[in-house]
Every structure is written in structure tokens, then in C-alpha cells.
Amino acid sequence: MRKLIMALDQGTTSSRCILFDKSGNICSMAQKEFTQYYPRPGWVEHNPKEIWSSQLAVAAESMAMIGAGADQVAAIGITNQRETTILWDRNTGEPVYNAVVWQCRRTSDMIEELKKDGFHQIIRQKTGLIPDAYFSATKIAWILEHVPGARERANAGELMFGTVDTWLMWNLTKGEVHATDYTNASRTMLFDIHRLCWDREILARFDIPEAILPKVYPSGYLFGYTSASVLGGRIPIAGAAGDQQAALFGQCCFEQGEVKNTYGTGCFLLMNTGKEAICSDSGLLTTVAAGTSKTPAYALEGSVFVAGAGIQWLRDSMGLLSNAAQSQKYCEKVEDTAGMYIVPAFAGMGAPYWNQYARGTVVGLTRGCAKEHFIRATLEAIAYQTADVLQAMERDSGIHLKSLKVDGGASANDFLMQFQADIVDTQVQRPRCIETTALGAAYLAGLAVGYWKDQEEIKVNWQMGKCFESAMEAGRREALLKGWKRAVRCALAWAKDEDGVSS
């Protein structure tokens, strides 16, 4: 009987389940979208119960598609949207509030308060993160402060906190396991990435009781077993990693200096820096890379908030596309953007700028600008933002980029990948299987239970789908990048009032 590895891929807009075989081939896949809630401008929430029910549904569906029973699943690996925050009752399992999503900006004012007395420097030093509303800490504090009775219940030990991986594990095991991994913990803004533990000084600052936090283990680790009533048997849960670290692992970026970019809702670039936790001078984050060892590797990360979300905006809000795949055809109809740039700072700008008040900007418009130019400028912005982050990574690490491995939905767009290669003057490598996030979770789980022997066996599975070589003349590249920098300055200027003070 052929054994398979199950990857639960819980993303920002949908839950998926993929069953992989030993060669890393997809045997079945199921996906289900779930509801997005926007209670106020800048606020984003999910229903935790819908996250769980959608994930359970696709797990059962993917097994049913190929007639696989629980005894054929060697292990489960979980990968998830990071930073999204859930608090629930320890006894009943009822969430006390909706999941506060990583994109949510409701706690921006809390971040500003940290800077007044220099506490942001302590957070930077211990967690590797630049304080931002993006991370879990202020989201937990907000729930405890604003949900009636939540703080009292938390102090009494009645509540539990988890990122989405923890929530799924707790439900899969019917409350037996309250745990997370190093990668997800490192995104909470509460975890000391050097000592590998929750930091009591930071917890005290946010008034968060340590008792609500999960236990923390390596990404490849036997966390526990599913309850037999959930998927028809006791299946080992042996892998967990935040989606971007899972993709780095799935791309087999095991060596220092190897870089991947995932083109999803946002863009997330990670560079493996080995055993060294490099503190960035360029606005990048220092984070823990996924692995199976208690002594982890580290990574530099740069986050671009709007990538695929920009294409969705063109389709759903602007009505310029009927489907995302059309964008390539429109981009190829014109030679350039007619001098126009779009900076899609819909929710501020991430690395290396970290300005939460910047807003989307269109510059260089002329009467000759058409729909095609507008679409092309939006896609080019994804590549420009990636170039900004890669430049910062090279500067911080001292490592010159030889190639860029890519994955995620928008990496299927050949126009975007070619423009990316041109603008960073580097080879872009797209693997045959671009489901590297789920594959990384599968690899971590499989290694933990001996399904795969070691990383060398996994490397054999990585196969090139298409390679894009830089073909742009250097002078044109420099001119385009100079124009992009000007456009970014306009977006950042919008964040200041007429007296030059950030609004």
C-alpha cells in the first residue's frame, strides 16, 4: 500500500489540502475559499471556525478523491498564514473573537507608542522584527483589551492563544496538543529567536499572560496525533511552518545565501543565512528558517504587502481584467508603461521602507496611457518591489545573488518572471511544481517520521520548470529603477501632512 504525506495549506483566502508521494508529485488536491470580513477600514478578520471547517473539508475531500484511508497517510504537515491571531476557550474550544488577520492595521497606534520610550529597540534585538501592526503581539493585546472579560479569563488560565497552525493542531487532536513551531513563534513579536523561548519582558510590556501561549518545537517534529474521529485514524502531525519558511524549505534552499520569492497575495522573499541571525540595517526582518533541528538556521526576510493582491484589484475593483491570467496578454500588447508607475501601497509599504501610512500612488500619467499600460505598470510594480528587497538582502548579508527561485500563483505569469529577471539582472528559476509552500510542510513532516531519509533525498525531487535569463540593456534598467524610486518617494510623501509630519 502506497504511503503519502498530507500537507494542510491554510492560506489567507482559502484552505487547501495536497497529498504528495515520495517523489514530491501531487496525487490529489482540494481547495475551499472562506469569508473575509472587513468590519472597518483597515481591519481584516476571519471566522476561526470557518478556517477549521474548510480545512477539515478539503482534507477529507483530497483523501476521498483517490480513495486513500488514514492508514495511507504517513504524516501531516501544516503550513499557514502567519501572524493571524486566534484566542479561544481552553475548555469549550469557542473562539472569544474572530481571527485578527496579519493584514489588519487596527493596532498601528500601539506600535507608535512603543517608539516613544525606545522599547522598539528591545523588540528588534530579541525578536529580529521591526515592530509593526503586522505581527501577533499587538493583536493579542487588542483582543484582551477590547473583548469583555477576555483579560480576566486569560489571567485565570481559561484562554489559549495560537497562530493558525496551533488552532488547527488543537482541533485535529481534539484539544490534546497546544503547540507551535519556531517559525510561527518567531512571527508573534513575543519570541526571543536567539534563546528560542517566549520573552517575559516583552510579554509584560503587552500585558500578555505566558500561560495562554503554546509550547514551541522545531518545524519538523512529532507534535502529536490526530484524533481517530477526525480523519478516520490516528495520523502523526509531524510538521508545521509558517507559509514563507515552508516555501523556502520546499524550494530546497538549504544552503546559506539561497533565496526564494513567493508571489502570493503579497511577495515574501527569504534568504537562508545559515546559523547566523543577521541584524538588518536595511529594514529587513531576521527570522527563523524551517528545519528539523533544535538548533535552527536563520533567514533574512523582506515583505512586499501587495503582489497578487494588485492583480486582484485590477480584476475585482477596477474591472480591467475578467481573470488574473489575462494580465500577461495585456502586458505584452505594449512595449512599456508609457512612462507611468503605480506604487500599490494600499496598506502602507513593507521592506525596506516600513511606512504604515504610505498609500497607493499613480505617477507619470499622460493622455496616451491606456488600459494596457495601467495593467503593465501594476505587474511591473511587483518586480520593482522585489528588486528593492533583494538589493537590501545583498547589502546586509554581503552575499551576491546568483539566482532567484520563485513560486506562488503569480510566478506562473511569464511576462512578470521575465521582467523580474531583467530588472534584478539575475537568473529566475521557476520549478516544475510551484506548490512549494505545501511541499515544504510535507517535507518537514516526512523527514520527522523517516518517510524521507535526509535533505539530500529531497533535493533530487526539485526540477526546473522554466529558467528566465536577464535580457535588458543596463542603461534601460537603471533608468527604469530610477523612475521607480521617484514614484516611491511620491507614495511616501503622501504619508506626511502639509507640515511634513507623518499623519
Side-chain angles (χ1 to χ4, degrees):
M1 182 173 60
R2 182 174 62 154
K3 290 275 191 177
L4 304 171
I5 299 288
M6 174 183 286
L8 301 181
D9 183 357
Q10 207 299 301
T12 307
T13 58
S14 69
S15 296
R16 298 193 305 161
C17 178
I18 304 179
L19 288 168
F20 291 98
D21 66 13
K22 204 156 192 176
S23 299
N25 298 315
I26 295 173
C27 300
S28 70
M29 176 167 62
Q31 181 169 348
K32 185 177 177 61
E33 292 190 357
F34 56 88
T35 311
Q36 310 289 309
Y37 297 94
Y38 306 99
R40 297 185 192 176
W43 291 28
V44 190
E45 297 178 0
H46 294 154
N47 181 337
K49 287 185 166 182
E50 191 179 3
I51 288 176
W52 164 238
S53 65
S54 62
Q55 191 66 75
L56 181 60
V58 293
E61 184 182 348
S62 66
M63 293 169 72
M65 286 169 73
I66 56 172
D71 54 348
Q72 280 180 261
V73 181
I76 294 173
I78 298 170
T79 183
N80 55 285
Q81 51 166 316
R82 303 174 302 173
E83 298 95 19
T84 294
T85 297
I86 305 171
L87 267 71
W88 66 95
D89 186 286
R90 183 181 297 273
N91 298 311
T92 67
E94 283 294 314
V96 302
Y97 189 79
N98 271 346
V100 181
V101 180
W102 61 272
Q103 298 159 311
C104 189
R105 308 305 300 172
R106 76 184 65 188
T107 59
S108 295
D109 289 345
M110 285 191 208
I111 300 300
E112 295 304 318
E113 287 296 317
L114 295 175
K115 296 176 183 176
K116 290 180 180 177
D117 59 5
F119 198 79
H120 65 294
Q121 300 286 6
I122 293 171
I123 290 175
R124 181 85 170 112
Q125 176 190 347
K126 291 183 174 184
T127 70
L129 306 177
I130 296 171
D132 192 85
Y134 179 34
F135 305 112
S136 310
T138 56
K139 301 180 194 301
I140 300 170
W142 188 94
I143 292 173
L144 293 178
E145 186 66 30
H146 290 84
V147 174
R151 185 169 298 285
E152 292 75 18
R153 292 166 69 192
N155 288 334
E158 296 173 12
L159 299 187
M160 306 173 96
F161 154 74
T163 43
V164 171
D165 60 309
T166 303
W167 172 243
L168 293 179
M169 266 191 252
W170 194 85
N171 281 285
L172 285 165
T173 63
K174 290 291 185 78
E176 286 185 11
V177 175
H178 183 218
T180 189
D181 82 301
Y182 291 155
T183 69
N184 279 295
S186 76
R187 309 297 295 189
T188 60
M189 214 165 74
L190 300 170
F191 188 73
D192 187 320
I193 62 171
H194 310 287
R195 295 187 300 128
L196 301 175
C197 63
W198 300 114
D199 188 84
R200 289 181 176 173
E201 183 182 11
I202 300 174
L203 287 169
R205 175 59 189 258
F206 289 110
D207 197 12
I208 296 171
E210 189 172 357
I212 73 171
L213 304 177
K215 293 180 179 178
V216 190
Y217 302 103
S219 301
Y221 180 84
L222 182 56
F223 293 92
Y225 295 83
T226 63
S227 171
S229 64
V230 175
L231 290 171
R234 286 177 59 77
I235 305 170
I237 302 169
D243 51 10
Q244 303 313 320
Q245 286 99 330
L248 187 72
F249 202 84
Q251 284 276 31
C252 298
C253 293
F254 304 140
E255 305 299 322
Q256 186 181 34
E258 292 187 311
V259 184
K260 73 89 195 173
N261 189 17
T262 297
Y263 298 79
T265 302
C267 263
F268 296 90
L269 290 92
L270 270 75
M271 172 187 277
N272 187 326
T273 62
K275 301 302 179 187
E276 184 182 3
I278 295 173
C279 186
S280 170
D281 295 321
S282 309
L284 303 180
L285 307 178
T286 308
T287 196
V288 182
T292 56
S293 171
K294 290 184 179 179
T295 306
Y298 294 91
L300 279 173
E301 175 173 334
S303 305
V304 173
F305 291 159
V306 176
I311 301 172
Q312 291 167 347
W313 169 67
L314 291 174
R315 181 193 67 194
D316 301 337
S317 300
M318 303 298 288
L320 297 179
L321 300 169
S322 57
N323 60 71
Q326 278 186 325
S327 60
Q328 179 173 329
K329 179 184 71 174
Y330 282 116
C331 288
E332 291 169 345
K333 281 186 176 181
V334 289
E335 292 184 2
D336 52 34
T337 65
M340 180 179 65
Y341 289 86
I342 292 176
V343 183
F346 301 144
M349 295 194 74
Y353 305 102
W354 288 105
N355 188 314
Q356 58 188 358
Y357 298 108
R359 288 296 176 263
T361 308
V362 181
V363 298
L365 275 177
T366 61
R367 182 64 182 83
C369 286
K371 169 181 175 176
E372 290 82 2
H373 298 112
F374 207 89
I375 294 169
R376 180 165 175 148
T378 303
L379 264 76
E380 286 189 0
I382 300 172
Y384 287 131
Q385 292 174 99
T386 297
D388 286 340
V389 175
L390 287 174
Q391 186 180 40
M393 281 183 170
E394 289 187 327
R395 188 164 55 241
D396 286 336
S397 67
I399 299 169
H400 177 67
L401 186 68
K402 292 188 176 69
S403 64
L404 174 66
K405 289 183 175 180
V406 298
D407 54 67
S411 71
N413 187 308
D414 283 3
F415 165 79
L416 175 57
M417 293 301 97
Q418 183 58 56
F419 189 77
Q420 187 70 84
D422 288 340
I423 214 66
V424 297
D425 195 23
T426 297
Q427 186 182 87
V428 169
Q429 300 176 349
R430 184 173 66 201
R432 187 171 295 175
C433 175
I434 63 172
E435 299 292 351
T436 54
T437 302
L439 189 56
Y443 283 157
L444 288 161
L447 285 168
V449 298
Y451 184 81
W452 287 287
K453 185 175 66 174
D454 53 29
Q455 291 181 357
E456 291 305 311
E457 186 178 357
I458 285 169
K459 275 186 179 180
V460 176
N461 287 347
W462 195 94
Q463 294 184 339
M464 182 83 76
K466 190 167 183 178
C467 185
F468 300 85
E469 301 279 358
S470 175
M472 185 178 284
E473 189 265 328
R476 182 167 181 240
R477 181 184 305 110
E478 289 170 13
L480 287 171
L481 286 168
K482 186 177 179 182
W484 167 252
K485 296 289 188 186
R486 286 180 67 199
V488 169
R489 288 198 294 273
C490 292
L492 296 176
W494 182 259
K496 298 181 183 296
D497 62 24
E498 50 193 35
D499 297 320
V501 180
S502 290
S503 57

